[in-house]
Amino acid sequence: MAHISMQWKIRGFFLVDLIILGFLAESPFNFLVLNTFLGYVPIELAFQIKKIKSVKSLPFLLFFVIWLAFYPNAPYLMTDLFHLSLLNPHDYANGLLSNSPRMWLDFGLLMVSMFGALLIGTYELNVIAQRINQAFRIKFIWVLPTILMAASGIGVYIGRFLRIHSLYLFLTPTWFIKQILNMWNLRMVFFVTILTIVQLAVLWLLNGIKKAD
């Protein structure tokens, strides 16, 4: 049997996940189909970036900008966890968690999509960052991933609270930039800081697992 690359395994994972979501995700969790697909897009873009040999080339720069614009869709799925409150998970008769099959199915669907996009997206972000570090001989290898994760935190904030989609950057750039300039406040900075720390923790754990092997 021919060897199947990890990239194709990941593509297969998301394809199966999307098919399962298409059949099993019900209201109010049918948003998972679109959000999971959008979370996969930057992962596929990262795969394509790897094919570009020179980091200093124009194709790499163009793909990098597009990837960065769509990357927040991967960690965005973390914020979907708050939709679990819609399940009313507690049995108010005894105060314990409900054992409703439908509730735990929705929980499983959300967790698989979230972890898939977050873990693979974070890994690919670091691969791209380290390629840039090597090309420009940047010694502080955690600086660029931190910057990219902070940028993704801003992107998540834009999507979650301003309800602005990534495509608006390309469709209405002037309006998009105006919204960005007007959104800064302490709560926004706090949100971005928390999401950056969470992503850095995930990356640290991924690197720790890799070194442990």
Side-chain angles (χ1 to χ4, degrees):
M1 182 181 293
H3 175 70
I4 301 176
S5 71
M6 182 53 68
Q7 288 187 6
W8 279 107
K9 289 179 181 178
I10 291 171
R11 290 180 178 121
F13 169 86
F14 279 99
L15 177 61
V16 171
D17 189 28
L18 286 168
I19 291 173
I20 292 174
L21 289 172
F23 280 105
L24 297 181
E26 297 180 354
S27 179
F29 286 89
N30 42 12
F31 65 84
L32 273 175
V33 178
L34 176 60
N35 285 7
T36 300
F37 173 76
L38 291 174
Y40 167 72
V41 169
I43 294 171
E44 182 60 40
L45 288 172
F47 291 163
Q48 300 308 313
I49 288 176
K50 289 180 180 179
K51 297 179 181 179
I52 303 173
K53 295 182 178 180
S54 175
V55 171
K56 300 178 182 180
S57 65
L58 181 59
F60 183 92
L61 177 61
L62 291 175
F63 264 93
F64 177 81
V65 170
I66 296 172
W67 166 81
L68 186 60
F70 282 92
Y71 178 77
N73 290 305
Y76 181 91
L77 278 159
M78 286 192 293
T79 65
D80 283 336
L81 291 175
F82 285 99
H83 289 297
L84 291 171
S85 63
L86 298 174
L87 297 174
N88 297 315
H90 289 91
D91 185 339
Y92 290 105
N94 54 29
L96 300 177
L97 278 175
S98 169
N99 61 357
S100 163
R102 181 71 239 181
M103 185 190 84
W104 287 103
L105 175 60
D106 290 334
F107 172 83
L109 294 174
L110 198 158
M111 294 300 286
V112 168
S113 293
M114 186 275 290
F115 275 119
L118 176 63
L119 294 177
I120 301 171
T122 300
Y123 177 86
E124 295 299 332
L125 178 146
N126 192 50
V127 170
I128 293 172
Q130 298 314 321
R131 278 196 65 189
I132 296 173
N133 283 340
Q134 292 174 5
F136 292 94
R137 299 179 181 180
I138 300 173
K139 295 181 179 180
F140 302 101
I141 61 174
W142 282 88
V143 172
L144 184 55
T146 302
I147 293 173
L148 294 177
M149 289 174 179
S152 75
I154 294 172
V156 173
Y157 183 90
I158 292 169
R160 176 54 73 190
F161 298 105
L162 302 185
R163 309 304 296 172
I164 300 175
H165 195 279
S166 302
L167 288 174
Y168 284 101
L169 174 61
F170 304 99
L171 298 177
T172 55
T174 302
W175 177 83
F176 181 88
I177 292 172
K178 186 178 294 185
Q179 299 303 309
I180 301 305
L181 293 176
N182 292 331
M183 72 179 184
W184 296 88
N185 57 64
L186 288 177
R187 289 192 174 190
M188 177 268 182
V189 173
F190 183 80
F191 174 87
V192 171
T193 301
I194 292 297
L195 251 64
T196 302
I197 292 172
V198 170
Q199 292 177 83
L200 284 171
V202 170
L203 178 56
W204 185 86
L205 290 170
L206 287 174
N207 286 339
I209 293 170
K210 186 176 180 181
K211 291 178 181 178
D213 291 337

